[in-house]
Amino acid sequence: MKKVPPKKSHFFKPILPGFKNGLKIPVGFLKYLKGHDNVHAILRRGGKKWVMKVNGRRMEDGWTEFAEEHDLQLGDMLVFRHEGNMEFNVSIFGSSCCEREYAAYMQEDEDEEEETPKKFDLEEKVKANIRTSGKAFPNAEAANKGMHLSPSHLICTIKPYCLTKYFLRIPRQFALDNRLNNRKCTIIMRDELRSWTCSLHTNGNTYIGRGWHEFCTDKCLKEGDRVMFEIVSNGETPIFKFHDLRGNPSHHPEVKKNNFDAKRISDEEKPKANIKASDKAFPNVEAAEKDKHLTHSHFICTIRPYCLSKHFVAVPRQFALKNRLNNRKCMIIIRNERRSWTFSLYTSSNNTYFGRGWREFCIEKCLKEGDRVMFEIISNGETPVFVFQDLRGSPSLHPEVKKNYLDAKRIKTMDATSPKVQVPASTSADANPHFISTIKPYTIKHHVLYLPLAFVKSNGLMNRHCEMILVNEKRRSWSVQLGQMGHHFGIKRGWREFVRANGVQVYILVRMPRITPSEAIDKIQKLLVMGKETGTEASEYNKILSPLTGFSKRRLRLAGTVVVNGEGQKLVSQKTQAAAPLVAPVVDQQNGRNDNGNFSQSDNYLTHLVELDSRLPKNDSGMNKVLSECGVSSSNVSTMVQPQLNAHVDENPQKSMANKDPVALA
DNA sequence: ATCGATCCAGTTTATGGATA
DNA sequence: TATCCATAAACTGGATCGAT
């Protein structure tokens, strides 16, 4: 069939782990972009536009916002239609193979006048029977905003810690109002159908402890869900009546955001502050580390009461540090398309603030509590210049939604940069794509190695229970099991054997580097394309893998569980006969052929290849020697992580089997 | 051995109040 | 009014305990 160039060319991309770092335009598509400005691209959807900065062929700046606003999830498929001049019309298809539906409001342009009353009406319904307590308590924040709840009602937004930490913090004021502070007792939580018994404990703050996790599980609570508790009895055993607000549209926004796979994968957020450094460096959880070298170019600020009552707003610490705004006292210029404002910038007590000029700005922009605005630094000279962007009309940036979301980002920021992480703890993520683990007594005693959350998140390992293979320099491998331990995640089964075999001792540093998820995915994509071509030799795969990751044929055997197409064609390994199709080839929109490395995910399943390769660092006490003796020093510690991205994969035992190929490399 | 639960230290933000 | 200071509050991650 004769090839005819399309009038409007398309390409499509599946949403894969690490997608929030950016999106690469397929190499094969570049021919359609010749002669265009390849530095910027514009994505259009729903009548809105997003400007992307293109680095090479990767859309970076601006992509994160696009992904967030559309709640992109792993397994989604995006079709890009080139309208010319680097403008792309984007269609988004979900895992159902149908175009994703977005609430009408998501597509509305910024129109505060219309939207505000809607929100207000919805909240009014809640207002009718809810009163709030508490002051600056993020979990109860929405309830606080202009709403007056009775002291016996508490609205909570489910934060990450609520799901990972097995407790829920009770706002101080609420606890005080209901005499729950300083109590240690059992409470009963119930809805119309059943009840749950939980413990209430206090240590300065008041918490719902034991039983909370079960409650969350039973109610399928997810981050961002909003629930209300009403104290219907406050005797010896207080009874909390549960009201599910998830069905209330006014409490829904967060849900969307929480569907973010990035979150699901990395799951970790830090809800709290009004301002998050939404730095592009850490646009998402799963690829935090990867992005570390990028810039902290903007932050998003949720307007808090103090922003209006005081004459300043705090600049996120990390943002200030990254942009060297801390310890500066100067004027800054804030501008949008129409005009500019001048603020003073100053630092006090290690905090950096926008000062004089802020109040006028708030008044002029009619900023209200809960509004969100973004400041992007575009010039950082003597007078830093920021571009101001009003996010109030951006649905996915709805105050509550964005808040948690950005909190997640901030966490990332913290994970990456906070001293806490860098200071040797049991495990810590450092700035490189690996983590350093200090072997502590409990690591040996309890036969467990906790993985730094940043590492877990950035690799999409959160909440996965999968096999991981550790390889030392002698090419001996150990199969270990990843899993969750309380609110920790790490290596459980198999760790003891690894410790014994390698003589791992307390205070030895084990450095475990990895490639970034996107690198792994790139490789997989290439392999998949090759896999479509019959007769491809293993050496060809090696050519792809070896230069970047040091993959050997042996390792390829390990990677053999990557299956390349719907017919179950295996990639390399002849040992994985049981392997079921894990990844389906992408079919070109026009001619039905695979498209330059893009691929879709069959059954939302993807095999990650993670290559660890590094030199062990010497610690202060010369422990490297010990490591050498035990055969770990200077080793290529390799892991191949084959996680299950989706629980339903478990339903297919064949696929589960496909994950298990504990090939000893020795 | 594993999982759940809790404690606690540390970080960052929000805010009340003092001061220039 | 603008800025600074101090600290309460919120939240997280690491470590460890206890039950099974």
Side-chain angles (χ1 to χ4, degrees), chain A residues 21 87 114 122 124 159 165 205 209 274 280 304 312 319 321-322 325 328 338 427 429 439 478 516 538 580 585 611 635:
Chain A
N21 303 319
E87 265 192 51
E114 280 190 19
L122 292 167
E124 278 295 313
K159 302 289 183 181
K165 304 292 263 188
N205 295 315
N274 65 329
K280 291 166 183 171
R304 297 288 181 188
F312 62 84
F319 178 86
L321 288 172
K322 292 281 180 181
L325 298 175
R328 283 182 71 174
R338 295 171 187 168
T427 51
I439 306 301
W478 287 262
T516 62
E611 168 73 1
S635 66

Side-chain angles (χ1 to χ4, degrees), chain A residues 460-654:
Chain A
L461 299 175
M462 202 68 183
N463 297 325
R464 314 260 192 87
H465 295 266
C466 59
E467 187 182 33
M468 186 176 188
I469 295 175
L470 304 181
V471 184
N472 72 3
E473 69 168 355
K474 295 180 179 174
R475 293 282 183 263
R476 187 177 167 199
S477 68
W478 287 262
S479 169
V480 297
Q481 188 75 27
L482 288 179
Q484 194 153 11
M485 291 145 280
H487 59 271
H488 298 288
F489 198 86
I491 298 173
K492 299 189 292 189
R493 191 176 306 131
W495 174 247
R496 183 170 64 168
E497 287 66 34
F498 180 84
V499 166
R500 282 179 182 163
N502 290 284
V504 174
Q505 295 171 27
V506 174
Y507 302 127
I508 288 174
L509 298 178
V510 179
R511 192 177 188 193
M512 307 176 87
R514 61 163 175 76
I515 60 172
T516 62
S518 66
E519 285 174 315
I521 288 165
D522 274 351
K523 293 182 185 73
I524 292 171
Q525 289 179 332
K526 286 174 185 164
L527 290 166
L528 291 171
V529 174
M530 295 174 72
K532 286 287 292 176
E533 300 162 11
T534 55
T536 305
E537 294 294 327
S539 59
E540 295 300 314
Y541 298 111
N542 277 334
K543 282 180 188 173
I544 293 177
L545 294 171
S546 298
L548 290 174
T549 68
F551 265 90
S552 67
K553 285 184 182 179
R554 277 177 176 171
R555 290 176 184 177
L556 274 172
R557 281 206 296 276
L558 252 184
T561 50
V562 177
V563 178
V564 292
N565 65 20
E567 289 75 49
Q569 179 184 353
K570 292 191 299 298
L571 180 60
V572 179
S573 173
Q574 299 303 312
K575 292 184 177 183
T576 53
Q577 298 297 328
L582 301 183
V583 185
V586 160
V587 176
D588 183 283
Q589 296 283 296
Q590 282 131 22
N591 56 27
R593 296 193 318 200
N594 58 321
D595 175 27
N596 294 307
N598 293 322
F599 65 99
S600 63
Q601 293 174 244
S602 171
D603 296 328
N604 291 331
Y605 197 97
L606 174 68
T607 295
H608 285 198
L609 302 180
V610 181
E611 168 73 1
L612 308 183
D613 186 291
S614 82
R615 299 274 160 183
L616 282 166
K618 284 183 181 175
N619 64 9
D620 294 340
S621 56
M623 282 299 183
N624 221 348
K625 181 171 178 291
V626 179
L627 286 171
S628 291
E629 290 169 358
C630 70
V632 181
S633 175
S634 303
S635 66
N636 291 331
V637 181
S638 303
T639 63
M640 310 204 75
V641 184
Q642 298 174 327
Q644 295 161 338
L645 287 187
N646 198 310
H648 80 264
V649 171
D650 288 334
E651 294 165 16
N652 186 340
Q654 243 192 336

Side-chain angles (χ1 to χ4, degrees), chain A residues 158-377:
Chain A
I158 301 301
K159 302 289 183 181
Y161 86 90
C162 300
L163 303 175
T164 60
K165 304 292 263 188
Y166 302 99
F167 66 79
L168 173 75
R169 197 188 317 277
I170 304 291
R172 173 175 296 265
Q173 195 57 51
F174 180 81
L176 287 171
D177 288 347
N178 295 284
R179 305 184 313 282
L180 297 175
N181 56 320
N182 298 323
R183 284 182 70 174
K184 188 177 178 73
C185 62
T186 296
I187 64 169
I188 292 173
M189 291 159 57
R190 66 169 176 81
D191 61 12
E192 294 77 13
L193 301 175
R194 60 159 292 192
S195 65
W196 294 259
T197 302
C198 301
S199 68
L200 188 81
H201 62 94
T202 302
N203 64 338
N205 295 315
T206 305
Y207 306 87
I208 296 175
R210 188 178 356 99
W212 168 251
H213 189 245
E214 184 193 356
F215 175 80
C216 288
T217 303
D218 289 347
K219 303 303 287 185
C220 298
L221 293 181
K222 301 184 301 297
E223 181 195 347
D225 286 346
R226 297 183 70 77
V227 297
M228 181 172 74
F229 296 101
E230 175 188 2
I231 297 186
V232 295
S233 167
N234 199 0
E236 189 175 323
T237 303
I239 298 175
F240 286 51
K241 186 178 179 183
F242 168 71
H243 299 267
D244 194 339
L245 301 182
R246 285 174 290 187
N248 185 330
S250 70
H251 296 278
H252 228 256
E254 295 211 358
V255 176
K256 288 191 75 63
K257 162 195 125 226
N258 296 318
N259 286 341
F260 239 128
D261 261 305
K263 299 177 107 334
R264 238 179 296 164
I265 287 174
S266 55
D267 254 335
E268 166 137 263
E269 279 54 3
K270 186 163 187 175
K272 102 173 144 175
N274 65 329
I275 307 169
K276 303 346 184 174
S278 71
D279 69 279
K280 291 166 183 171
F282 313 104
N284 62 62
V285 180
E286 71 239 309
E289 292 191 358
K290 176 179 183 179
D291 284 344
K292 274 176 203 160
H293 55 281
L294 299 179
T295 60
H296 273 248
S297 64
H298 66 274
F299 70 93
I300 294 176
C301 171
T302 299
I303 303 301
R304 297 288 181 188
Y306 86 92
C307 301
L308 304 172
S309 62
K310 309 292 253 182
H311 298 203
F312 62 84
V313 63
V315 175
R317 180 180 298 267
Q318 292 301 325
F319 178 86
L321 288 172
K322 292 281 180 181
N323 292 287
R324 304 185 310 282
L325 298 175
N326 56 318
N327 298 323
R328 283 182 71 174
K329 188 176 177 70
C330 61
M331 300 308 288
I332 61 170
I333 293 172
I334 306 285
R335 66 171 175 80
N336 64 10
E337 301 82 4
R338 295 171 187 168
R339 61 154 294 183
S340 64
W341 297 263
T342 302
F343 296 170
S344 68
L345 180 86
Y346 63 92
T347 296
S348 167
S349 300
N350 276 332
N351 295 319
T352 305
Y353 304 93
F354 288 171
R356 195 179 334 108
W358 170 253
R359 189 155 179 266
E360 288 70 28
F361 177 77
C362 289
I363 293 169
E364 186 170 333
K365 301 303 291 183
C366 298
L367 292 178
K368 301 182 300 297
E369 182 184 347
D371 287 345
R372 297 185 68 84
V373 293
M374 180 173 80
F375 297 98
E376 178 176 10
I377 186 165

